[in-house]
Amino acid sequence: MQNQQANQNLNRLASFRRRRGYSQRRVAHLLGHKSHGALSSYECGRVLPTMTTALKLEIILRTPVAFLFPNVYEILRNAIRTEEDRLAGV
């Protein structure tokens, strides 16, 4: 179960962070964190950031949240589209 959740939380944070040339410590500092531990947890998919933190990551990494967390975006989009179809009687 935990492995399934980690797969759902896979993200591209580390990739976009490295493209910007930022260290985990720098991003953590810009997020207002005292250490890079939380950022590491986000990057590994152990934890999803709060909405505020996700938006800060979008700003820092200059990348839309949907691109940073494509798996979460896809899961949410599919669930909403399925419900829309159900409500439309499709």
Side-chain angles (χ1 to χ4, degrees):
M1 179 71 171
Q2 186 177 12
N3 206 16
Q4 181 182 4
Q5 185 172 352
N7 287 337
Q8 291 175 353
N9 294 342
L10 288 177
N11 60 70
R12 299 174 67 202
L13 289 174
S15 173
F16 281 102
R17 175 179 55 76
R18 286 197 280 288
R19 282 186 200 172
R20 301 252 359 124
Y22 292 165
S23 68
Q24 282 186 334
R25 290 186 193 282
R26 180 174 182 168
V27 173
H29 176 77
L30 292 169
L31 288 172
H33 296 337
K34 293 186 190 294
S35 76
H36 67 284
L39 180 60
S40 177
S41 292
Y42 304 150
E43 288 185 357
C44 293
R46 287 190 298 268
V47 178
L48 282 175
T50 65
M51 175 66 82
T52 299
T53 299
L55 291 172
K56 286 180 179 181
L57 287 164
E58 178 178 289
I59 294 164
I60 293 164
L61 301 176
R62 294 170 171 77
T63 305
V65 172
F67 290 4
L68 296 175
F69 298 92
N71 289 14
V72 173
Y73 178 84
E74 184 176 343
I75 289 166
L76 294 172
R77 184 193 64 214
N78 290 344
I80 290 169
R81 295 295 178 253
T82 298
E83 184 62 12
E84 286 174 337
D85 290 347
R86 188 189 71 75
L87 292 173
V90 174

